[in-house]
């Protein structure tokens, strides 16, 4: 799988008249090689994948990661560097670029540390952007990736059921987060043991739970706190960060109430959120553009008298955000094999916010739903 992707990348580099690509986004490094670590960019320790259109691929990574790189990376050669020793990661780059003409980089995700160094050894006129090539390759998922997506959906649903079950009057938010994390980890472990031969892949969820309750409900990326939830309050659960099975990400969220809807005006807002997602899903199929999906969703929201909304959704995969985005201006035509998170939402500043969201595979004649959880009003009052 990884060798196949690397071969395709080389062919596309040749078509675009690039001599070599420098891949620095950790999700893209994994996509092409199967190699990952968790601590390189944040700690000033770059990992760089060098892919010439003709010649051997090179992985430059910290020496502390050598055992992992040798076990996981599908590359021709590995060079390691150590903190404070010589030129560190810079030592291998000049030789790997010597004699090359046009160099393709990921300018928007390349660490400034690396970009600044490149500017000292390569003329700006030789640099180009490999992002469109990589984004287009990653946009249509392989059969292996679609299997991961389906399993990620099972993990997400296990977390949602656990979160729903933990919500209650007098319960602090962090208890919900503990329940979702445990359920997601156990489901992921079950799936890894049953379907995958990768002892290195962790089942543990590793993202702070996104949730909000009561007066914090209008904050879409609020994290679980010590706040105690009360009867009649709305509660928002989002798993767009925690759904990360075998490195494959999905989007999934719901709005609930505890016992009853304390403010009955919130009912109408919630129903519009549900209807806006339904409008988007009526169009979700191959041949439709990303912005058309967004327009259908936005029309419902604005038609009900609410403000123009943020994007309807986005593509996911090995990254939380991939191409396309379901937003005005994105004219990407949907194709079978895309994985999309599609939301319905309404926000009223400093008052209330309702959101429902699921993930889908675009199929030949429509879509396959990956996440399932009731949305009817009677089903979300707990």
């Amino acid at each position: 799988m990884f060798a196949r992707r690397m071969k395709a990348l080389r062919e596309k580099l040749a078509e675009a008249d690039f001599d070599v690509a420098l891949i620095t986004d950790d999700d893209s490094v994994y996509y092409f090689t199967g190699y990952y670590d968790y601590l390189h960019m944040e700690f000033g320790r770059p990992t760089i994948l060098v892919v010439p259109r003709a010649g051997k691929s090179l992985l430059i990574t910290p020496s502390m990661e050598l055992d992992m790189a040798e076990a996981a990376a599908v590359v021709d050669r590995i060079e390691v560097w150590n903190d404070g020793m010589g030129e560190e990661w810079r030592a291998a780059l000049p030789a790997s670029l010597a004699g090359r003409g046009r160099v393709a980089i990921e300018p928007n995700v390349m660490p400034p540390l690396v970009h600044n160094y490149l500017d000292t050894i390569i003329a700006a006129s030789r640099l180009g952007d490999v992002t469109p090539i990589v984004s287009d390759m990653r946009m249509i998922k392989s059969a292996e990736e679609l299997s991961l997506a389906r399993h990620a959906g099972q993990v997400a649903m296990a977390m949602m059921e656990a979160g729903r079950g933990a919500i209650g009057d007098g319960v602090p938010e962090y208890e919900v987060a503990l329940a979702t994390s445990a359920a997601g980890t156990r489901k992921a472990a079950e799936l890894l043991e049953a379907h995958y031969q990768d002892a290195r892949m962790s089942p543990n969820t590793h993202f702070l739970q996104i949730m909000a309750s009561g007066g914090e409900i209008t904050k879409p990326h609020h994290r679980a706190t010590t706040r105690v939830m009360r009867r009649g309050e709305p509660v928002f659960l989002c798993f767009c960060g925690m759904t990360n099975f075998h490195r494959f990400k999905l989007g999934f969220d719901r709005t609930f109430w505890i016992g009853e809807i304390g403010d009955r005006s919130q009912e109408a807002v919630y129903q519009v959120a549900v209807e806006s997602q339904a409008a988007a899903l009526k169009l979700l199929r191959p041949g439709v553009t990303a912005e058309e999906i967004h327009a259908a969703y936005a029309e419902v929201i604005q038609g009900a008298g609410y403000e123009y909304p943020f994007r309807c959704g986005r593509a996911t995969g090995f990254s939380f955000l991939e191409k396309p985005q379901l937003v005005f201006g994105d004219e990407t035509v949907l194709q079978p094999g895309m994985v999309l998170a599609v939301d319905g939402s309404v926000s009223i500043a400093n008052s209330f916010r309702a959101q429902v969201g699921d993930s889908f595979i675009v199929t030949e004649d429509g879509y396959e739903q990956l996440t399932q959880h009731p949305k009817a009003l009677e089903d979300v009052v707990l």
Side-chain angles (χ1 to χ4, degrees), residues 147-164:
S147 179
L148 288 174
R150 294 181 180 101
H151 287 151
Q154 292 183 41
V155 173
M157 289 187 288
M159 287 191 286
M160 186 67 81
E161 286 291 342
R164 175 194 179 102

Side-chain angles (χ1 to χ4, degrees), residues 131-154:
T131 306
I133 292 174
V134 173
S135 295
D136 285 349
M137 289 183 66
R138 292 178 56 183
M139 188 167 57
I140 307 301
K141 287 10 180 191
S142 65
E144 295 95 336
E145 288 173 283
L146 294 180
S147 179
L148 288 174
R150 294 181 180 101
H151 287 151
Q154 292 183 41

Side-chain angles (χ1 to χ4, degrees), residues 5-26:
R5 291 172 181 165
M6 190 80 79
K7 181 177 182 293
L9 175 59
R10 293 179 192 275
E11 292 170 353
K12 292 182 181 297
L13 291 175
E15 291 170 6
D17 196 29
F18 285 121
D19 292 282
V20 62
L22 302 182
I23 306 296
T24 49
D25 173 62
D26 57 338

Side-chain angles (χ1 to χ4, degrees), residues 5 20 31 47 51 53 69 98 105-106 109 140 157 184 191 210 356 360:
R5 291 172 181 165
V20 62
Y31 180 82
T47 287
V51 184
R53 71 180 186 186
I105 64 172
E106 301 169 293
V109 292
I140 307 301
M157 289 187 288
L191 292 168
I210 297 172
V356 296
F360 306 84

Side-chain angles (χ1 to χ4, degrees), residues 331-374:
E331 299 178 350
T332 304
V333 177
L334 302 191
Q335 301 176 57
M338 289 181 174
V339 176
L340 299 169
V342 182
D343 298 327
S345 65
V346 176
S347 295
I348 305 174
N350 301 312
S351 176
F352 179 61
R353 179 176 180 277
Q355 181 166 323
V356 296
D358 293 284
S359 288
F360 306 84
I361 297 171
V362 179
T363 62
E364 294 291 340
D365 56 359
Y367 61 80
E368 173 188 342
Q369 189 161 347
L370 296 171
T371 57
Q372 304 272 357
H373 197 82

Side-chain angles (χ1 to χ4, degrees), residues 168-173 213 225-230 233:
D169 181 29
V171 176
E173 290 177 344
S213 64
T225 68
T226 57
R227 183 185 186 279
V228 175
M229 298 174 288
R230 294 300 179 190
E233 290 184 341

